[in-house]
Every structure is written in C-alpha cells, then in structure tokens.
Amino acid sequence: MKNAVLFLTQLLILLAIYSVSNYIVQLINLPIPGSVLGMILLFICLSMKIVKLNYIEKAAEYLIKHLALFFVPYAVGLMTYGDLIKTSGWKLLLMIVGSTVIGLVVTSGITQYLSSKGTKKHVRSDSI
Amino acid sequence: MYGLTLFNISLTLLIYIGPRVLYRHISNPFTTPVLLTTILVIIVLRIVDINYEQYTPAKEWLTYLLGPATVALAVPMYKNRLVIREKAIQVSVGLTVGSLATIASAIGISKMLNLSERIQATSAVKAVTTPVAIEIVPIIGGDPTLAAVLVITAGIFGAAFGSLCLTLFKIHDPISRGLGIGTVSHGIGTSQAVTEGRLQGAVSSVAMGAAAILTSIILPLIYKLFN
C-alpha cells in the first residue's frame, strides 16, 4: 500500500512537469513538443537539485521500461493507410530503410571514430 | 461503446505481454516488442472487424502516459550526464552531420524513385518525433498525415533493425549506438535503446530531443538548397 502511494505520487510529479511544459510550449509558441521540453526541464531540475532523484525514480524507471507500449496505439494507425501502402508502399519503404540506415551509420560511425581518436590520445598521455 | 474501448485496451495490453516475454528469450528484429505487438494488434482488429476510428478511444487511454514517460527520460540522461559530457564534442558533431545525412539521403532517394515533390518534402522530416514533424512539414510544403506515417515507420524500422545494422558496421561503442538510434528513429527507437543498455537509452534520449530541435531550425533553410 505504501509503495502504491509512493508510486502514484511520483507519477503525479511527472504528470505535473509534463502539464507545465505543455502550457509553456503553447504560451510562447515553442517549436518543440511539451514532452521534450519537459525532459529538458526535469533534467535541469535534477541538476540544480530542485527535484531529487528519489522523488521520481521508481515511476520514471517503470514508465521507461514500458515506453514501447505507449507507441503501439499510434503505430496501429498505420492500418488506415492500406491504399497508400498498395500504391507506393515499396517506394516509401525503400526510402525510409535507405535513409534510416545511412543516417544511423553516419551518426554512429562519426561519433565512434571521433571518440576512438580521443581515447587513444588519452591512453598515450597516460602512458607518458 | 465502453465495452468496446475496454476490449481494445485489454487486447493491446495482453498482446503486448507476449512479445515482451518472447523478446527476453529470442531477441531478433522481428520479435522487437513495438513491431510485433503492432502487427498482432492490427491482425486481431482486422479479424474481429474493428476499425481505427473505433480503436481511437482506447488509444487515448493507452497513450495518456506517453508524455510523462518521455519526461522521465531525463532520469537516465541525468544519471549518465558525466559520461555524456565527456564526449560532448564528438556527440554534437555526430548528431549534426548524421541529421544532415538523414535529411539529404531521404530527399535524394525520393528524387531517385521519382516520388512527387510533396512526398520528397515530407520525407525530409521522417527522422524526428511526430509532433515536431507535423509542425515543420507544412513550412517546406509536405503533408502532415503522410509525415506521421513515415515517422512511425522510420521509428519502428530503427527500433527493430537499428541494433543489428550498427553491429554489422562494427559500431560497438554504447554512446555512438544510442546516439544513432535516437537521431534516426526518435522516441520509438529510444524505447528499444533503453532495453539495450542504460547508457544507450540515455544518449538516445538526448539525440531524440536534440535532433528534433536541430531539424526544426535547419530544415526550412536547407530545403531551399535542394530546390
């Protein structure tokens, strides 16, 4: 019972941050979604110790564990695009697959290449 | 009416359990929970003859926690902040060049396949999270409804095949892996990256947010270069 109350309180804190962020986004017409602003705000609050990790950690871990579930109902919406998929589905899929693979390999490849250079230098300076 | 909504909610939750358990035993792209659950839910809805309009009230219930769950991604970001800060320059360069490569290749491939100009413009936003994609796509002459379809498909593809693809290209560094997944397949990719590892999930969250902000600023500018 105590755990359930704790969990619900933590969930309410996250919901409150989300609502405030949504309100700010609408108020000053920010080009990012409320959830992304909320993520940034919570990060700032954690860094400045306004929100302590143990205020929200349990609920946060639980929600993140099931993040995939919350996307499923949107993805199910693809069922209404049967006609589009029949007419140009393979072309669209080819574009998505091609561009996603290129973007992924470029992003991760560059980052790993730059990181490995940094690490090697680091190792050398240590050994001297 | 309420009965139908309750049925749709229970159906989605029950089906979701299956792929989750299965993925723990057999991890391969086709058992990725978000992909397999979606396919199974669509199949069952088709069989029992329920259309998406009838499913929508259940969607509202089930997605109520998506906002706070995205906010919660600040927790792994915070816990891994020191490791990420150490690689801030590498991460920024990778993210910027990678986002540009994603946008350019999407437009380029669309042109090669002779897709309409409207589809070309829409393809440019497919890597960023849905609300941002829908906001910026009209500015460059694309279609918001199609944008949502492309964004979700790119997300599911990245979630299911991203990890395998990175391994094939010998990219094993967890920060680099998380960064790539979040950059090209936003929240859906991130939902999978968090299951690969804490650090991957944290970096993927950063990449999702940063790629959305970056794309909304640079896309209207660079789209002019292509036309």
Side-chain angles (χ1 to χ4, degrees):
Chain A
M1 186 60 202
K2 206 181 153 195
N3 273 338
V5 174
L6 181 78
F7 182 84
L8 279 175
T9 314
Q10 297 198 346
L11 191 61
L12 283 175
I13 296 175
L14 290 170
L15 268 167
I17 298 172
Y18 174 58
S19 308
V20 169
S21 310
N22 264 334
Y23 180 72
I24 297 175
V25 165
Q26 279 175 3
L27 196 70
I28 54 177
N29 248 327
L30 278 179
I32 55 169
S35 56
V36 172
L37 179 69
M39 190 171 86
I40 298 168
L41 281 185
L42 177 57
F43 183 80
I44 294 170
C45 288
L46 286 167
S47 303
M48 295 175 72
K49 316 271 182 217
I50 299 168
V51 173
K52 288 209 178 101
L53 210 47
N54 61 10
Y55 292 178
I56 47 155
E57 198 173 7
K58 281 223 164 65
E61 300 278 339
Y62 186 80
L63 289 179
I64 292 170
K65 201 170 126 195
H66 296 291
L67 190 56
L69 170 68
F70 309 128
F71 286 108
V72 166
Y74 290 108
V76 170
L78 294 176
M79 72 187 279
T80 56
Y81 292 94
D83 287 339
L84 178 77
I85 292 164
K86 265 175 220 151
T87 51
S88 48
W90 73 267
K91 280 188 177 179
L92 292 175
L93 193 65
L94 195 63
M95 180 277 289
I96 290 169
V97 169
S99 163
T100 301
V101 170
I102 291 171
L104 182 65
V105 173
V106 169
T107 312
S108 303
I110 288 180
T111 313
Q112 178 167 279
Y113 173 73
L114 294 174
S115 303
S116 69
K117 268 180 31 185
T119 324
K120 269 176 205 152
K121 261 184 212 156
H122 198 69
V123 170
R124 251 179 246 143
S125 65
D126 276 354
S127 58
I128 297 167
Chain B
M1 192 63 210
Y2 289 117
L4 181 63
T5 302
L6 198 63
F7 171 80
N8 287 335
I9 294 174
S10 328
L11 174 80
T12 312
L13 289 174
L14 279 175
I15 291 180
Y16 169 71
I17 297 169
R20 254 195 84 87
V21 174
L22 182 66
Y23 192 76
R24 243 174 268 155
H25 299 285
I26 311 163
S27 311
N28 81 46
F30 298 100
T31 57
T32 307
V34 65
L35 174 68
L36 192 55
T37 310
T38 303
I39 293 173
L40 293 175
V41 171
I42 292 178
I43 291 174
V44 175
L45 290 180
R46 278 280 161 93
I47 291 172
V48 297
D49 205 22
I50 293 172
N51 61 38
Y52 193 59
E53 213 170 294
Q54 293 166 306
Y55 182 80
T56 303
K59 182 193 91 178
E60 306 290 331
W61 277 98
L62 287 163
T63 55
Y64 183 68
L65 291 175
L66 179 59
T70 310
V71 173
L73 289 170
V75 170
M77 269 165 65
Y78 177 73
K79 286 184 178 169
N80 292 285
R81 69 194 180 286
L82 300 176
V83 191
I84 300 171
R85 199 192 292 161
E86 210 170 280
K87 294 276 158 69
I89 296 168
Q90 293 91 329
V91 163
S92 312
V93 175
L95 185 98
T96 310
V97 180
S99 291
L100 289 172
T102 310
I103 295 168
S105 60
I107 301 172
I109 296 173
S110 302
K111 273 188 196 289
M112 271 175 5
L113 294 171
N114 276 324
L115 289 163
S116 72
E117 257 181 45
R118 199 165 165 75
I119 296 181
Q120 287 174 29
T122 312
S123 74
V125 299
K126 67 146 195 4
V128 298
T129 182
T130 317
V132 175
I134 289 173
E135 284 293 315
I136 53 182
V137 81
I139 304 172
I140 56 170
D143 172 27
T145 315
L146 179 64
V149 175
L150 300 186
V151 167
I152 290 166
T153 313
I156 294 179
F157 175 77
F161 293 91
S163 184
L164 174 73
C165 183
L166 287 167
T167 307
L168 283 177
F169 280 89
K170 296 196 171 56
I171 295 161
H172 302 294
D173 168 46
I175 291 186
S176 307
R177 288 174 71 94
L179 191 77
I181 304 254
T183 304
V184 298
S185 51
H186 50 93
I188 303 183
T190 304
S191 76
Q192 185 60 26
V194 294
T195 67
E196 193 182 295
R198 290 292 164 106
L199 185 54
Q200 284 92 321
V203 184
S204 187
S205 314
V206 174
M208 172 186 80
I213 296 167
L214 184 74
T215 307
S216 66
I217 296 166
I218 61 170
L219 189 58
L221 301 172
I222 60 165
Y223 197 71
K224 283 184 192 143
L225 295 177
F226 275 88
N227 292 288

